[in-house]
Amino acid sequence: LNSTAALRSIDRNPAASPSPAVRVAISRDTLRALLQQLLKVRAHTLAITAPLSAEDCQVQSMPDASPIKWHLAHTSWFFETFLLGEFSHHYVPFDPEFKVLFNSYYNAVGAKHPRLERGLLSRPSLARVVDYRQHIDAALGAFVSVVAEADLRTVLERVTLGLNHEQQHQELMLTDLKHLLSINPTAPVYYANAPHPEALTNENPDRATQWISLSGGLIEIGHDSSTQATTRFAYDNESPRHRTFVEPYAIANRLVNNGEFLAFINAGGYRDPSLWLSDGFDQVQRGGWAKPLYWQQDSRSHWHEFTLSGLHTLDPEKPVCHISFFEADAYARWAGARLPTESEWEHAATHATSAHLLLQRDDQLWQWTASSYLGYPGFAAAKGAVGEYNGKFMCNQFVLRGGSVATPAGHTRTTYRNFFQPEKRWQFTGIRLARNQPQQR
Amino acid sequence: LNSTAALRSIDRNPAASPSPAVRVAISRDTLRALLQQLLKVRAHTLAITAPLSAEDCQVQSMPDASPIKWHLAHTSWFFETFLLGEFSHHYVPFDPEFKVLFNSYYNAVGAKHPRLERGLLSRPSLARVVDYRQHIDAALGAFVSVVAEADLRTVLERVTLGLNHEQQHQELMLTDLKHLLSINPTAPVYYANAPHPEALTNENPDRATQWISLSGGLIEIGHDSSTQATTRFAYDNESPRHRTFVEPYAIANRLVNNGEFLAFINAGGYRDPSLWLSDGFDQVQRGGWAKPLYWQQDSRSHWHEFTLSGLHTLDPEKPVCHISFFEADAYARWAGARLPTESEWEHAATHATSAHLLLQRDDQLWQWTASSYLGYPGFAAAKGAVGEYNGKFMCNQFVLRGGSVATPAGHTRTTYRNFFQPEKRWQFTGIRLARNQPQQR
Amino acid sequence: LNSTAALRSIDRNPAASPSPAVRVAISRDTLRALLQQLLKVRAHTLAITAPLSAEDCQVQSMPDASPIKWHLAHTSWFFETFLLGEFSHHYVPFDPEFKVLFNSYYNAVGAKHPRLERGLLSRPSLARVVDYRQHIDAALGAFVSVVAEADLRTVLERVTLGLNHEQQHQELMLTDLKHLLSINPTAPVYYANAPHPEALTNENPDRATQWISLSGGLIEIGHDSSTQATTRFAYDNESPRHRTFVEPYAIANRLVNNGEFLAFINAGGYRDPSLWLSDGFDQVQRGGWAKPLYWQQDSRSHWHEFTLSGLHTLDPEKPVCHISFFEADAYARWAGARLPTESEWEHAATHATSAHLLLQRDDQLWQWTASSYLGYPGFAAAKGAVGEYNGKFMCNQFVLRGGSVATPAGHTRTTYRNFFQPEKRWQFTGIRLARNQPQQR
Amino acid sequence: LNSTAALRSIDRNPAASPSPAVRVAISRDTLRALLQQLLKVRAHTLAITAPLSAEDCQVQSMPDASPIKWHLAHTSWFFETFLLGEFSHHYVPFDPEFKVLFNSYYNAVGAKHPRLERGLLSRPSLARVVDYRQHIDAALGAFVSVVAEADLRTVLERVTLGLNHEQQHQELMLTDLKHLLSINPTAPVYYANAPHPEALTNENPDRATQWISLSGGLIEIGHDSSTQATTRFAYDNESPRHRTFVEPYAIANRLVNNGEFLAFINAGGYRDPSLWLSDGFDQVQRGGWAKPLYWQQDSRSHWHEFTLSGLHTLDPEKPVCHISFFEADAYARWAGARLPTESEWEHAATHATSAHLLLQRDDQLWQWTASSYLGYPGFAAAKGAVGEYNGKFMCNQFVLRGGSVATPAGHTRTTYRNFFQPEKRWQFTGIRLARNQPQQR
C-alpha cells in the first residue's frame, strides 16, 4: 500500500516495553473478538464491489491505480503471507502462484508481478479471487484456535495491522474506481442512490473562513507507543512522539471550497508561474492543467464535477476536491496564505477540535500539509517485511492529514500521516489554509 | 482492420462495368441468401468467445491488440455504420455513443476513441455488447425486405465486404487472445480439447525441402475485377490485375520448421548482425530477441511453445510460427536463400498448386514476402469511408501471402494480400523460402 | 552513410567478369590519376567548412544529423579503414581510438561510438581532426607507389567507392548544417555571397506543368555491371540491370513549386486525413506539421524560407523543398496525380532528357518516388564490410531519384538510388508528379 | 541557478529595517570597492576556461548540465538584466537576442530558450560571448559613477547577489565540465598540473571515525537578517533565523571514505533493496548503478576514479565523492547510522568547529542531509524576478551543507543551504554520518 505504515514495534526498545502485567491482558478472547471485527471489515471490502461487473474489477486505468480485483486479492494475500503462512503451521496456500501475483512491493517476500501489468491478468477471474477471499476468511475464522500461546501478542499486532491495511485499500478501491469511471466517455455511475461514499458537505453556516490562532511553542506531536501500546493502534511512521518547536500561527476553520477555487481559476491562477513551485508549473504545462482533476466545463461554460454518482453541477460551497499539492500550494500563495505544517495541523487538531472550532477535520478531504514525508526523530522501521510498509517511501512525498469521505469510519486519528507525491490528484484531497501570526512579546 | 482491404469499386471506371445483362443477376433472393450466410459467420464470431470470461474479453494486452469485447462491438458497428445506418431508413442506432467508441480508424465517419485506450472501457459491459450484437443480427435478419431496389447491388457489395471484415476479425481475436494469455504467468489454456484453431501440421513425409523451379517471364497477377465482379469477392488492394516481369526462380515446397529454425538459433543467428537488416538488428537488441515470440526454454534448456491449448514441448517438424519479417529475412539469408516476392508467390500458388507441389499453401501460416505493401499499378482506393480500409496503410509494411490455421475456411485466395509491419510477431506468420535460378538461354 | 551503396562486386559471378584484355587496362597510372582526383574532392570537403567556427562543427542538432567535425573525421576513417589499413602494409593509424569513435555503422569493423552521442565528443578537437585529414591525405598521396601489383584492381575500386562516399558526405554536411542553423533563433547565415550551394532555380518559362507521355512496356532499368564495369562507377544497389514492366504513364516536366504547394496548404491539405497515408497523418499530428520544414510565417502572415544564406521571402516559382514522402504523396493525391515509380522515373530520365523535355532532372531537388527501397531482382550485397553500405537499409525507406543543388557535380546518374524514411525532411527533397495514361489499344 | 537563493530582502518588514544611521554607511566608495571585487571574481570565471577549446565550451553533456559557453553568457546576462538594464539609464544591451537566449529560469523576465537545447546554439560563438563578458565588465567598471544616490543600497545588494551568483556558476562549470569529459572514451584531462580544483585530501591521522556527541535542545539556526544585514550576505533561503528542537545526537568527525564505501559495494550494498528507499532502489535498477558515478573497474578488477586531472587509481582514504542522496542514505543504513538533519549539521558546524573537532567541514565535499529542502518558518521569497532564485525550487530536493573543493573560497558559511534532487550525482557530494544518542536524564 502506498499510503500506509507498518506496525509499530513495541519491542524495539526493551526498556520501553509494557510491563508483564500489561502483557497478561492479551488473551485468546481478545484475539477472537479482533478476528470477528476483522471479518466484518473484510465483508465491507466485498460489499464495495456489489454494484460492479467483472470488467469494472479488471481494469487498471493508470499506473497509480490498481484493478479492484487486485485489491481484493492483495488484501487476502496480506493475511495469507503475514498471518496464516507464518503462524498457522498446517495452512496450505490457496494457490502457490498468488504469492508472486499479488505481492505489492514487499521485497523481503520475494518476486512481484510488475505493478504496471496488474490489469493485464484476466486470470485468475474475479470469481476465483472471491473464492480466494472466502478461503482466507474461513481460515481466519478458524485461526484463533490454532495460534500458539507464545505467538498471541505478535498475532494480535499482525491482525491489527492487517485490519488497518484492509481499510486503507477500501479507500483506494474507491479512488481507483472513480478514476476508471471518469475516463469513460459515457460518465458511468457507480452508485446512484444515497448514501454513497462521496458525501461532501458544506458545513459552514457563515461562509467566510474563520482563522483560529494558536500560540505554538515547544509542543509534542506523534504517537506515544510506550504508554498507548495495548490500547491504540498507530502505524510506525507516527512514532516516536517527540518535541518540536512551532511559531505562533493561525489555521482556517474550514476547507477551501469550489467557489473560492473557481475565483483562483478565473483570476488566471493556472497561467501565472509566479504562484507556483517550479516543478508544479512544469507539471501544469506538461499536463495541460487548467482545473481540478474531475471538473468539466460544458459548451455553455457551466462547470460540472464527475463523482461516483455521476456528473453533477458544481456546488460552490462544497470543499474543492482532487487537488494536487502543487495546486494547493499555488492556491494558498494566491490567497495570501500558506499550507500548514504537519506539526501545526496536529497541534490544531488536538487543541482546537474540542471546542468545535476546526470544521471538516477528518470526514471530508485529506488536507495537504507543507511538510515533506520524512521519519520523525528516532524513527526506525519495523523489522522484517512489514517494515517495508512505510519507511521506504520517505522521499519526494508530502504529508496529508485528516481523512476523507472515502476513509472508513474510525480509521484515522490526529497523529495519522498519509502521504502522496505532490502531483497526485486522484485521492480525495483538499486544501486547508494557514498563515503566520506576529509573535506576542 | 489493420490487415484488410475495401471492396473493389466496380463502378470506378464506367467503361469497365459489367453489362446490364449481368446486373440483372442481382436479385433480392441473392441478398437474402448472403445475409443468411453472414449471420452464420457472425454466430461463429460469438462462438469463439464461448470459453472466455468477461475479464478475458476486457483486456488489451498490447497496443497492437484489441480487447475481444471491442472486436465483438466493432464488427457490429461496421454493419450499423456502413449498412443499416446508410440503407435502412428507419434504423435507430442501438446506442449513439457507440458511434465514436467503436470506430476503429475511419476518419470519414468522425471521431474515434483512442486506440490505446480500448481496454480501459469497462462499460459497456460484455453483456451489453452481446445485446448489441443481437440487436444488429436482428436488424440484419429483417434487412432484406427494407432495401430499396436501386440499392440492391451496392448493399450486396457492402454485405460481402462486411462478411469478409467479420472473418478477418475472427482471426485477429485468436491472435490477440493468444497474446493476452501468453503474458499471464499461469500459462492459461483457451481451449484444451481438439479440434482447436491452432492445428499446425507437419505434412512433409520426406523432410528435406523440395525446390520447385519456375521460369517466370511476363506474367499477370492480381484480381481481375472486370470479369470476376459478380462471382468472386476480392479486396480493392488485390486489383487491378496487371502484368509484371519475373525472373526464373525456385520456391520451397513447404514452410521452414521449428527444427530448422532452432539450428539458426544454435548457430548464433540472433547475434550475428551480418544476417540482419539494420532496422532488424536494432529491433533484436532493443527487444532482447533470441527466439520466436512464444518459445520458452525451461531450466533444463528444453524448448516449449505456448499455444492456445497451453504450453507444449516444441515439435521440430511443425512449421516455425510467430516470426517477424526481420527474423524470416535473417533466417533466409543464413540459409543461403531469400524470401519470395509476392509476384513469385502468387505465380507459384497459381501454377504449382494444381500439381500438389506447393504444400502448406494457405492452411498453416501466413508467409512473409520480400515485397513492400504498395498499390498495384493503377490502384485507386474505393470512394468514401470504406476506401480507408486498405489504401491508407500502404507504407512501411510487408506483404504476407497464404493464410493460417486461424483464418476462416474459404476466406483467402491466391490474390489475397495480408500486410504487417516488419517487426510484428503476434500473427500466425511463418517462412517459405525462395531462391534465384540461372536463366535458361 | 545512410543514403548510399557499396561498390558493385564485379567478381561475384566469375562468368560475367570482364575479359583479361580489359583487366590489362588498369595500370598504376590510372590509380595515380584517380588518387589525384580524390585529393581534389577531399579538398572541397574541407572548403565547405571554411565559413564555419569550431562550435558550428561540433553540434549534432538532431538524431538524423551528424556534426560537421564527425563528417570530416569519418570520411578520413573510411580511407584509413578500407584502404590504407588494408593495402598499405606499413601504415600506422593516426590514433587507435579513432577506429571506434568514427565508425558509422560497419558491424564487421567492430565497436562503434553511439550515433546519438556524436555531438558530445568535444575531443578530438576540430584542429586535431583537420590534422587527421592531412595525415590521411599525405598517405593517399604516397599510396600509389606502395600498392602491390596484385591489388591494383581492388584498390582502384575502393578508391572509387571512397571518392563517391566522400561526395555523399559533402551533401550531408550541407543538409546537417542547414538544420543546425535553422534551429538557432538568430537565423544565422552560412554563406552570404553567391555562388552558394542553394541555388534553386525557377526554369519554367511557361509556368504550367507539361505532361510527358511515355508508353512504357517491358523496359530495362538499373546499372549493367558486366559491360560498364571499368568505365563507370555505380553502387551495388543499382544492379543488376533487369527487366520490369511499366504501364503507359505521364510524368511532369518540372517539379512542383512553392506557389502550388501554398495552394495545398491554403486548401487545408495538412488538416484533411483523406489525403494522407495513415502513418503520414499520424506524423502530421504528432509533429504539428502545417508547412514544409523551413518555411516560416511572420506576424503579417507573409511566408519566408530559411536557407543557407539566411531567411528569404518565399519565391512561389521555385521548387518546393524539404518535403517528406508523406507530404509529397498527400500533395500528389490532392492534385489528382501520384508520385512516379522509380522505374518510371528512370525510364523517363533516359528517354525524355535527350529532348530536353524533363526539366530540373538532377540539379535541383531529389524527387520522391512511389517505390520502396528494396533490392533489385538478383541483388546481392558486396562481400565484407563494404557490403554493409547499402543492402542492410532495404526496409521502411522510399527511393528518391535525381540529385540536388547540394549534390556534387557529376555524382549521380540516371540509375542512382537515394533513399530515406518517409517522414524525413531535412534533405533537399521535392516533388515531381506522374499520372496514369489510358492504354493505347 | 539551480542550487542557490535570492537576495534576502531587508526591506520586507519595514519594522526590521536597519536604522538610518546604518544606512549612512553605504557610500559610493563601498560600491566602488565591491565592483572591483566583482571584476576579480569574474576574471576568475574566465580563467577557468583557459585550458578549454571552443568545442569544450559548446557541449551540453546531459540535461542537468549546461555548456561552459552558456555559463559565461548567463552570468553576464545576470548583470545586464538585473543591474545595468535596471539602474544604468543609458545602458544599451549588447545584443537584444541575448535577453531570451541566456535567461535561465526567470519567468518574470520573459521568454527563455529551452534548457535542453542550450548545447545546440553554435552561434553566438565563444569568441562573441567573451566579447559580451568584456562589454559587461567595462560597463560594470564605469557603473559606480552612474548609479543614482537613491539606488545605492539596492544596487549594492544586487551586486552582492550577482557576485555570489557568479561564484555558484564557477562551481557548476567545473561539475558540468567534469561530466562532459567523463563521457568521452578518451578520458581527457582538464588540467594536468597542480594545483587543480579537485584536491581531495585524506586528513584523518587516525583513520577510525570519531563521533562527536551533542546534546541539542531548543537551538537556533539560520541567518539573522535583522542584525547582520550590512555586514554579511546570505541567500533568502537561509532566513529567518529561528528556533528548532534537536534531540541529543552524535555526528562523525570526518566524511566516509572510498575504502569504506568499497566495503559497502563488496557487501552487496547495491543489490540489497532493504537498504534503500523505494525510489532509490528503482533508480539503482533503472540506471544500472553499482558504484559511484566516476568510478571505473579495469579488466583486472582494479578500481580507478575519473577526475579533472584524468583517471587515477582509487585512493581508499580520500572521501567518497559523486554520491547521490539515495546512495548516501543506503550507505548510512548499512553502516548502522543515518544522515544528519540540517539542524544537526548547522548546530555541529557552529559548536564543534571551534574545537577543530569537525574535520572536512566545507572544503572537501557537499554533505547530504536527511532534510528536505523547504522554506524555514516565516520564509518569504524576495519580491520580483530575483525572488525566483531559490523559493520556487522547494520541492523534491534534499539539503546539502558545507562546501566542496570546487566551491570558491569564502563562498559558503554555516547557514548555507545547497540543494539537489536525491538522484543527482554530478556535484562534488559526499557522506557525513550521524546517529541518535540516548537522552541524558
Side-chain angles (χ1 to χ4, degrees), chain A residues 116-196:
Chain A
L116 300 183
E117 299 174 15
R118 289 177 182 168
L120 302 184
L121 297 174
S122 65
R123 317 277 177 98
S125 67
L126 176 61
R128 186 158 160 78
V129 166
V130 170
D131 285 348
Y132 182 35
R133 284 190 75 80
Q134 289 168 345
H135 174 90
I136 298 295
D137 285 351
L140 290 172
F143 185 57
V144 65
S145 59
V146 302
V147 176
E149 193 69 27
D151 290 337
L152 270 182
R153 174 176 305 275
T154 308
V155 161
L156 193 84
E157 290 170 2
R158 286 286 169 88
V159 172
T160 304
L161 179 64
L163 186 153
N164 281 273
H165 175 260
E166 185 95 16
Q167 289 179 316
Q168 290 182 306
H169 278 277
Q170 289 173 357
E171 176 154 3
L172 290 175
M173 286 165 69
L174 292 172
T175 56
D176 291 358
L177 175 66
K178 185 170 182 179
H179 185 266
L180 168 64
L181 299 180
S182 79
I183 62 171
N184 193 311
T186 66
V189 168
Y190 163 55
Y191 204 13
N193 299 323
H196 68 79

Side-chain angles (χ1 to χ4, degrees), chain B residues 24-45:
Chain B
V24 168
I26 297 179
S27 71
R28 203 167 291 271
D29 283 346
T30 308
L31 177 59
R32 180 176 291 112
L34 183 63
L35 285 167
Q36 289 311 309
Q37 186 188 346
L38 169 63
L39 290 174
K40 281 175 64 179
V41 168
R42 281 176 58 77
H44 180 63
T45 304

Side-chain angles (χ1 to χ4, degrees), chain B residues 7 82-83 86-87 154-162 386:
Chain B
L7 184 63
F82 295 126
L83 202 69
E86 217 169 314
F87 299 99
T154 309
V155 162
L156 193 84
E157 291 170 0
R158 285 286 169 89
V159 172
T160 304
L161 178 64
V386 294

Side-chain angles (χ1 to χ4, degrees), chain B residues 189-240:
Chain B
V189 168
Y190 163 56
Y191 203 16
N193 300 322
H196 69 80
E198 201 166 341
L200 293 179
T201 58
N202 47 347
E203 55 162 311
N204 42 324
D206 42 356
R207 296 181 182 175
T209 296
Q210 304 295 321
W211 292 92
I212 308 167
S213 292
L214 291 120
S215 56
L218 189 61
I219 66 168
E220 283 200 352
I221 66 163
H223 179 76
D224 185 349
S225 56
S226 65
T227 64
Q228 300 174 346
T230 57
T231 55
R232 186 79 164 101
F233 169 79
Y235 288 112
D236 63 354
N237 63 2
E238 300 171 51
S239 291

